[in-house]
Amino acid sequence: MKGGTVWAKLSHLLGLGIFFAGGALLLTAFWPLVQQIDHLERQKEQVQREVAVEQGRNRDLNLQLELLQSDPNYLSRIARDRLSMGKKGEIIFRFDPFPLPSDREATGNR
């Protein structure tokens, strides 16, 4: 074995060791930032889903507002259903909802 080849191999290994140590140091330094970015992206997706739900609700409310302002039949139906209003001579019957089996067990009635 020649003396120059051993030192060349050791020098090469030392260079690789320094390279990997530097990479590991950078990885440990930036890993919390990577985790924070991942957390923020998940939060963003959740907020986007909530926005989509609220936009759908907004469309429904705008449609209901438009119907209340322009459709007398819809307004009459809402008044009958929600306010228990009726026309002259009508009798309004209201029934309690039928209790589910789980409701009956909770109250002790069978």
Side-chain angles (χ1 to χ4, degrees), residues 2 11 26-27 41 43 50 59 62 73 86 109:
K2 295 184 181 177
S11 175
L26 285 175
L27 183 64
E41 285 177 354
Q43 238 180 355
E50 290 173 7
R59 279 191 303 272
N62 281 333
N73 292 329
N109 297 336

Side-chain angles (χ1 to χ4, degrees), residues 62-72 74-75:
N62 281 333
L63 176 62
Q64 186 177 13
L65 178 63
E66 183 181 328
L67 288 171
L68 285 170
Q69 291 174 343
S70 63
D71 188 0
Y74 182 76
L75 183 62

Side-chain angles (χ1 to χ4, degrees), residues 72-109:
N73 292 329
Y74 182 76
L75 183 62
S76 172
R77 191 182 82 194
I78 294 297
R80 289 166 177 256
D81 288 346
R82 295 188 186 167
L83 303 176
S84 298
M85 297 178 74
K87 294 180 180 178
K88 284 186 179 180
E90 283 187 335
I91 300 174
I92 299 171
F93 293 96
R94 287 278 179 202
F95 297 99
D96 292 331
F98 188 76
L100 299 173
S102 59
D103 295 338
R104 283 187 257 160
E105 290 173 6
T107 59
N109 297 336

Side-chain angles (χ1 to χ4, degrees), residues 6-18:
V6 171
W7 288 111
K9 287 181 181 179
L10 286 176
S11 175
H12 182 64
L13 287 175
L14 181 63
L16 285 175
I18 290 172

Side-chain angles (χ1 to χ4, degrees), residues 5-75:
T5 58
V6 171
W7 288 111
K9 287 181 181 179
L10 286 176
S11 175
H12 182 64
L13 287 175
L14 181 63
L16 285 175
I18 290 172
F19 176 75
F20 285 120
L25 183 64
L26 285 175
L27 183 64
T28 58
F30 289 109
W31 185 250
L33 291 175
V34 170
Q35 287 179 327
Q36 184 179 12
I37 289 170
D38 184 50
H39 173 71
L40 290 173
E41 285 177 354
R42 281 184 274 144
Q43 238 180 355
K44 177 184 170 187
E45 290 170 0
Q46 176 65 28
V47 168
Q48 286 175 337
R49 284 191 295 269
E50 290 173 7
V51 166
V53 167
E54 292 301 323
Q55 285 175 340
R57 185 170 176 256
N58 190 26
R59 279 191 303 272
D60 293 343
L61 289 173
N62 281 333
L63 176 62
Q64 186 177 13
L65 178 63
E66 183 181 328
L67 288 171
L68 285 170
Q69 291 174 343
S70 63
D71 188 0
N73 292 329
Y74 182 76
L75 183 62

